[in-house]
Amino acid sequence: MKKTELIDQVASKANLSKTDAASAIDAVVSSISSALVSGDSVTLVGFGTFSVSARAARTGRNPRTGEPIQIAASKLVRFKAGKSLKDSVN
């Protein structure tokens, strides 16, 4: 599903115009993003939890030459599905 398809579904299910649905989706995504940037986690009960975790620096290998390379430390976004979402998918 693409963003435009999501907007169409939200607009029809919430009885909103497509413009209002797009604004609502943009606001939700922006709020989740800003919370993650500040280091907070976002929990949507029944859906799941978005969180940020740290990945340590490590040594990897160049697949072509086999020589070791340094991979810098980074942060990544994780999503853990909630029980209701897991149950509905399975």
Side-chain angles (χ1 to χ4, degrees):
M1 174 182 291
K2 296 184 180 190
K3 185 176 179 180
T4 55
E5 296 167 337
L6 179 62
I7 290 170
D8 292 341
Q9 283 198 2
V10 169
S12 65
K13 289 185 179 187
N15 201 17
L16 297 171
S17 68
K18 287 185 181 181
T19 306
D20 291 341
S23 298
I25 289 171
D26 288 339
V28 168
V29 170
S30 174
S31 298
I32 291 172
S33 297
S34 63
L36 292 174
V37 166
S38 67
D40 295 334
S41 64
V42 178
T43 302
L44 303 172
V45 176
F47 183 71
T49 302
F50 295 92
S51 61
V52 177
S53 66
R55 178 179 275 176
R58 61 195 190 279
T59 303
R61 294 224 173 256
N62 182 335
R64 284 192 182 158
T65 63
E67 76 180 46
I69 58 172
Q70 279 302 108
I71 301 171
S74 63
K75 293 181 181 178
L76 47 120
V77 176
R78 298 209 183 257
F79 176 74
K80 182 176 180 188
K83 185 175 180 345
S84 299
L85 181 60
K86 285 181 193 175
D87 291 344
S88 66
V89 170
N90 290 324

